[in-house]
Amino acid sequence: MTSRRILIGILALTAAVYLPGVFLHDFVSLDDLLLIVQNDKVHGLNPRNIFQVFRSYDPELYVPLTLMTYQMEYTLTGLHPYLYHFDNLLLHLGSITLVFFVMKRLKLSDGAALFIATLFALHPLQAEAVSWAAARKDLLSGFLVLLSVLLFLRYRDTGSKRSYGWSIAIYVLALLSKVSIILIPFSILLLDLIRRDFRFRKGLPAGRQALIEFMPFGIAAVFFGIIAMFGKTLQLKELTLMEQFLLSCKGLGFYLWKFFAPTGLTVYQPQFSPVTIAAPESIIAIVMVLALIVAAWTARKRFPHFAFGLALYTLAVAPSFMNFWKKGTLYFASDRYVYIGIIGIALAAVTIVLPLLDRISTRMRAIIGTILLVIMTGTSFAQAMTWSDSAALYTRALKLHPDFSVAMNNLGAAQYQNGKKEEALATYERARATDPTLTSASVNIALYWRKEGDPQRAMEAIQAGLQAIPEGRPAFDEEIKAWNILGLLYDERGMHEEALTAYRKAVERAPESADAHYNLGVTTQKYGLLPEARDHFAEYLTIKPRDLEARYRLAAVQAELGMLPDAAKNLQIILYEDPEYENAQQHLERITKMMEQ
């Protein structure tokens, strides 16, 4: 009973740390806009939106269940951020509770289980996942996989087939939330190997019985692993295996170091130096990883939970090794990726530390525990406050990485949004000077000058940004936006051929871009190039079939080309979706009469 009360106290303290952010924090521009604010697929819970999230990536990850939680929240409160943050906190509180009971199922003492739950609850590394609305996928998948593991351990202890079936089902739900938890259930199989604790049941050899138990998990893991790979094609193309390995070693070492010394935490951990095996940081990282492997192997018999903790940490973090490369920038770590991995580090640490604490007096243990709790609580609260809004987030990042151009550019956007236009322009210029290949900085400068009524400067900024793009670099969204803005600027000045060239370049660079096809469709329709307009509107609608304006334009082009049945069909679709849409009914009646003649 005492342990349950202490657990409730841990939950209450965690809530006290993060509740201010629930009511005070806004959405931040980093991914919150992409996944929630500007994502039509989550603006309402209905069959069409549900279908859309199950057939799309976000843009790299397959997270339909996570997106469905946003749909529910939007249905209840629209785009008010407090419910999104509150649900993140609820998931974290639920995971803390599950951590305690999972540790108990692993036969740890109440003291050890509470210690690990406290570290999981209040460690500053957790602030990113809890405070960031877009990190819902890490929290939801983490909660579900912990529940799956708990049910599996209950099945192991009681033989309950119901617990086993629910464990598999919830694991699938966890994979639908974010596939990064894919390896965590297999840590239990690894623990069996470490303990040599295979059992004989129904006359089957022990190892075969374990493999049969885990076969459904393995099938689900392979299936969702394949789905996940389709979202990471650029990651696989842009980094060599050696670079992947070296950054993986550095990431593993980084999280361990920050667990014991949680300073300098920020949303960005960019890799500035070249990734080579001869670099001192690479050598140190490899040595550290080898040392951990040796330590785990050496301690596996005498301290199985120590070895298991390190293995669980590695399995939890390993899937994030597919996320180093993002739009031409390398990032070797991100706090949220270790959300579940902290349990493994804490377990390994507790296995070593608790026997040492038993040698000192109760009073001294209480003093040490209080100091640790105060430090973690204060640091976590301070770290959570850096997520209050976009400006605070990027200001914090630049304090730690003053020459990081991506953070500069994002800070400029936040400044502009807050009405500090001149500061924003200076920040954009600084970002572009730091990294001329950062196309988004040139785009922001161009938009600034266009809104200020100086199209010439806007064109010069866009052209400079496009010329600086390295040859062979994949087409990022920012580049496509740059070509589209350049086309718009040309069009506004009556330079029709140049506008068409710019829009066509956008489509050439990114045939999968809906905006590129739409802009080219509108422009070719305007210039009377109707067959080309028809093709681009049709292509656009394969990507965004719910856009009634684009469908209306396509119907108009088809009617002008004499494709009356096709035009009528598109108008019927529009009227089915919106019976009052503009003059669609009148156009349909006119086309129907023409077809009858």
Side-chain angles (χ1 to χ4, degrees):
M1 184 61 69
T2 302
S3 62
R4 302 290 176 91
R5 291 175 180 172
I6 295 174
L7 178 60
I8 292 172
I10 295 169
L11 295 173
L13 184 57
T14 305
V17 168
Y18 289 108
L19 267 177
V22 168
F23 298 105
L24 299 176
H25 288 185
D26 199 352
F27 291 121
V28 296
S29 61
L30 187 65
D31 286 359
D32 284 353
L33 299 183
L34 174 69
L35 297 181
I36 303 171
V37 179
Q38 299 172 354
N39 187 1
D40 292 340
K41 293 192 291 291
V42 305
H43 292 172
L45 184 64
N46 55 62
R48 185 185 294 275
N49 280 354
I50 293 171
F51 175 73
Q52 288 295 321
V53 299
F54 272 90
R55 66 184 293 270
S56 60
Y57 291 84
D58 81 324
E60 292 185 341
L61 299 174
Y62 186 67
V63 292
L65 193 60
T66 297
L67 296 178
M68 283 184 66
T69 66
Y70 295 146
Q71 292 174 346
M72 297 174 193
E73 289 158 336
Y74 183 90
T75 300
L76 293 173
T77 62
L79 291 174
H80 297 288
Y82 68 88
L83 182 59
Y84 299 82
H85 291 304
F86 183 66
D87 286 344
N88 273 16
L89 176 57
L90 289 181
L91 285 169
H92 186 50
L93 295 176
S95 294
I96 295 165
T97 307
L98 291 172
V99 167
F100 173 76
F101 287 108
V102 167
M103 293 301 109
K104 290 291 293 176
R105 286 283 179 182
L106 291 175
K107 314 305 180 188
L108 269 69
S109 66
D110 283 358
L114 287 168
F115 197 177
I116 293 168
T118 303
L119 289 169
F120 176 82
L122 292 166
H123 198 284
L125 278 169
Q126 305 292 58
E128 178 172 301
V130 182
S131 303
W132 188 7
R136 169 71 54 76
K137 49 187 172 285
D138 300 278
L139 292 164
L140 182 60
S141 62
F143 172 80
L144 290 171
V145 80
L146 286 170
L147 182 57
S148 174
V149 168
L150 180 61
L151 288 167
F152 184 82
L153 293 172
R154 184 177 184 274
Y155 152 72
R156 280 283 188 87
D157 290 340
T158 66
S160 169
K161 295 294 185 182
R162 178 176 294 181
S163 295
Y164 178 64
W166 275 112
S167 176
I168 297 168
I170 292 172
Y171 174 61
V172 172
L173 293 179
L175 290 168
L176 286 168
S177 304
K178 187 181 181 183
V179 79
S180 60
I181 51 83
I182 191 169
L183 301 176
I184 291 172
F186 302 100
S187 63
I188 304 302
L189 182 60
L190 189 59
L191 182 59
D192 288 338
L193 288 169
I194 293 171
R195 288 173 165 175
R196 298 183 180 277
D197 190 28
F198 290 124
R199 290 168 289 172
F200 292 85
R201 287 200 294 269
K202 299 180 182 179
L204 290 173
R208 186 180 301 176
Q209 175 64 40
L211 291 176
I212 291 173
E213 285 179 341
F214 278 94
M215 188 173 294
F217 294 94
I219 293 171
V222 170
F223 177 76
F224 282 95
I226 292 172
I227 291 175
M229 291 294 287
F230 284 108
K232 293 293 182 181
T233 53
L234 279 179
Q235 175 79 209
L236 298 174
K237 291 178 181 177
E238 296 300 319
L239 290 180
T240 66
L241 288 176
M242 178 57 71
E243 289 172 330
Q244 292 272 149
F245 170 73
L246 295 175
L247 289 172
S248 300
C249 291
K250 183 176 180 178
L252 283 170
F254 173 83
Y255 296 127
L256 278 171
W257 173 249
K258 291 303 177 182
F259 179 83
F260 294 102
T263 59
L265 300 180
T266 178
V267 65
Y268 293 121
Q269 296 295 346
Q271 175 68 30
F272 292 113
S273 60
V275 182
T276 64
I277 196 169
E281 65 176 13
S282 297
I283 296 171
I284 292 171
I286 292 172
V287 170
M288 182 179 291
V289 171
L290 290 175
L292 290 174
I293 293 171
V294 171
W297 180 261
T298 304
R300 71 190 189 283
K301 294 180 180 179
R302 187 176 177 185
F303 302 107
H305 282 131
F306 174 80
F308 170 65
L310 293 179
L312 172 60
Y313 159 60
T314 305
L315 291 175
V317 173
S320 70
F321 298 159
M322 296 295 293
N323 296 324
F324 296 130
W325 187 90
K326 295 178 182 179
K327 295 184 178 181
T329 302
L330 291 181
Y331 302 89
F332 64 86
S334 187
D335 294 357
R336 67 189 183 279
Y337 294 156
V338 76
Y339 180 70
I340 293 296
I342 278 182
I343 301 169
I345 305 175
L347 177 56
V350 165
T351 304
I352 301 301
V353 170
L354 282 189
L356 299 177
L357 292 177
D358 288 339
R359 300 180 184 180
I360 62 178
S361 66
T362 303
R363 180 182 179 185
M364 185 57 67
R365 289 202 298 270
I367 292 173
I368 294 173
T370 302
I371 293 173
L372 179 63
L373 199 60
V374 168
I375 292 173
M376 285 200 305
T377 302
T379 308
S380 291
F381 179 79
Q383 186 61 25
M385 287 300 101
T386 67
W387 287 87
S388 59
D389 57 36
S390 298
L393 182 65
Y394 302 127
T395 299
R396 168 66 176 172
L398 287 170
K399 182 178 180 180
L400 297 168
H401 305 296
D403 295 324
F404 186 42
S405 59
V406 173
M408 291 179 208
N409 185 56
N410 289 341
L411 176 59
Q415 290 169 333
Y416 192 92
Q417 188 70 25
N418 293 334
K420 302 177 180 179
K421 295 184 178 181
E422 293 183 1
E423 288 184 36
L425 179 60
T427 307
Y428 293 147
E429 294 283 8
R430 181 182 164 208
R432 185 171 66 169
T434 303
D435 181 7
T437 69
L438 186 65
T439 313
S440 54
S442 297
V443 166
N444 285 335
I445 294 169
L447 290 175
Y448 173 90
W449 286 118
R450 180 171 181 266
K451 290 177 181 178
E452 291 296 311
D454 193 336
Q456 183 59 40
R457 283 194 178 184
M459 290 179 62
E460 290 171 358
I462 285 287
Q463 290 166 341
L466 289 170
Q467 290 171 2
I469 295 174
E471 186 176 350
R473 191 179 81 175
F476 302 150
D477 293 340
E478 292 81 359
E479 179 189 343
I480 306 311
K481 187 175 182 179
W483 283 114
N484 285 330
I485 292 172
L486 183 59
L488 175 63
L489 291 168
Y490 280 133
D491 189 38
E492 289 176 341
R493 304 185 76 178
M495 303 169 70
H496 297 169
E497 288 301 322
E498 290 83 353
L500 284 171
T501 299
Y503 286 131
R504 286 167 178 159
K505 186 66 176 182
V507 171
E508 176 190 331
R509 290 285 288 152
E512 74 285 355
S513 171
D515 289 344
H517 284 287
Y518 183 80
N519 289 331
L520 185 52
V522 170
T523 307
T524 49
Q525 181 187 21
K526 176 181 175 181
Y527 296 162
L529 304 174
L530 299 184
E532 188 175 357
R534 175 201 58 201
D535 293 343
H536 289 293
F537 284 133
E539 188 66 31
Y540 173 84
L541 287 168
T542 63
I543 304 170
K544 292 188 175 183
R546 294 180 61 188
D547 192 324
L548 298 186
E549 181 182 350
R551 194 170 293 278
Y552 193 61
R553 284 181 173 275
L554 176 60
V557 170
Q558 289 171 330
E560 287 192 63
L561 289 172
M563 303 170 65
L564 300 183
D566 292 325
K569 180 179 179 181
N570 278 309
L571 289 170
Q572 288 168 352
I573 293 173
I574 292 170
L575 290 169
Y576 175 80
E577 294 288 339
D578 183 0
E580 305 298 325
Y581 189 87
E582 293 190 17
N583 297 316
Q585 183 63 48
Q586 294 91 315
H587 287 309
L588 179 59
E589 291 172 358
R590 187 181 304 117
I591 289 173
T592 302
K593 290 180 180 179
M594 292 173 63
M595 291 170 59
E596 291 174 351
Q597 293 176 356

